[in-house]
Amino acid sequence: MTAPVATPFVHRKIDVCFRHFDTDDNGVIDREDLLTLGAQLLSKFGEPVTSPRGVALMDGMTRFWEALLAAADQDGDQRLTRDEYRNCMTGAFVESPEGFDTSFRPLVEAVMALMDTNGDGQVDEPEFQAWQEVFRTAPEKRTEAFRKLDADGNGRLSTDELLAAVRQYYLSADADAAGNWLFGAPA
């Protein structure tokens, strides 16, 4: 399989995600940003940090941060600039898609488990909307995003649908891929 190409479109999508992780809006991502994002998600879903889902999410955030830092912190300051983050995401996922499964998939699965508040293995629209609120997706874009990602049209997102959307968002240069809607209208 040929690795995808990091196009300006893919870079714009990665830049959107930089903002999600830069929770204090200071222009860099550090460990505290990821832990803050995790805490915000737990709070939004009413999940204690000590519950199995809370532990899985925070562990996923920590492991994801460590993978990012190892791959991208070029100057050793324990912080990632937008360029360092873009280069990391491009190298770790776009140019080496197998990195998605080892570094990013466990975090996505932990977020999915957190959003699945009734434990049915699916995320309904209100659960999706709550997640999108924490990730600062514009309210007017959340409903359309959910519709685009609901590949089978059953009104719920399965783990497979959400993983496919995340993979497309980060890896696909196809402007028509449904996964581009993960955080609202395509970048």
Side-chain angles (χ1 to χ4, degrees):
M1 176 176 154
T2 303
V5 176
T7 64
F9 179 63
V10 170
H11 284 162
R12 283 194 308 275
K13 293 188 294 181
I14 290 170
D15 290 348
V16 166
C17 291
F18 180 88
R19 182 175 176 265
H20 298 159
F21 292 126
D22 182 15
T23 58
D24 59 8
D25 294 321
N26 68 349
V28 295
I29 300 171
D30 59 25
R31 183 177 186 275
E32 197 60 37
D33 284 314
L34 265 76
L35 295 179
T36 297
L37 183 61
Q40 290 171 345
L41 284 165
L42 291 174
S43 176
K44 185 68 176 176
F45 286 93
E47 191 71 36
V49 71
T50 56
S51 73
R53 285 193 242 190
V55 169
L57 179 72
M58 297 309 280
D59 183 55
M61 287 290 190
T62 299
R63 284 185 289 134
F64 183 63
W65 169 248
E66 289 167 356
L68 285 175
L69 202 59
D73 187 18
Q74 297 169 347
D75 57 11
D77 67 353
Q78 304 287 301
R79 300 160 35 120
L80 301 180
T81 65
R82 184 178 306 272
D83 287 342
E84 286 175 321
Y85 179 76
R86 182 192 282 178
N87 291 338
C88 172
M89 296 304 280
T90 299
F93 302 127
V94 178
E95 295 169 358
S96 302
E98 63 278 355
F100 178 90
D101 289 325
T102 58
S103 298
F104 210 28
R105 183 183 179 115
L107 177 58
V108 173
E109 289 173 338
V111 170
M112 180 74 178
L114 179 69
M115 289 190 300
D116 179 15
T117 58
N118 65 3
D120 68 354
Q122 309 255 342
V123 171
D124 62 27
E125 189 169 348
E127 292 165 332
F128 178 82
Q129 296 269 350
W131 172 52
Q132 293 293 296
E133 183 180 336
V134 173
F135 272 66
R136 302 187 279 181
T137 301
E140 66 275 7
K141 296 179 179 180
R142 296 176 197 155
T143 298
E144 182 69 11
F146 184 85
R147 282 192 17 245
K148 295 279 188 183
L149 301 180
D150 183 11
D152 61 10
N154 71 351
R156 295 170 294 182
L157 298 177
S158 67
T159 298
D160 288 341
E161 284 173 318
L162 190 58
L163 282 169
V166 172
R167 183 179 292 277
Q168 285 178 348
Y169 188 87
Y170 283 99
L171 303 182
S172 179
D174 177 2
D176 296 325
N180 295 333
W181 285 83
L182 187 62
F183 301 111

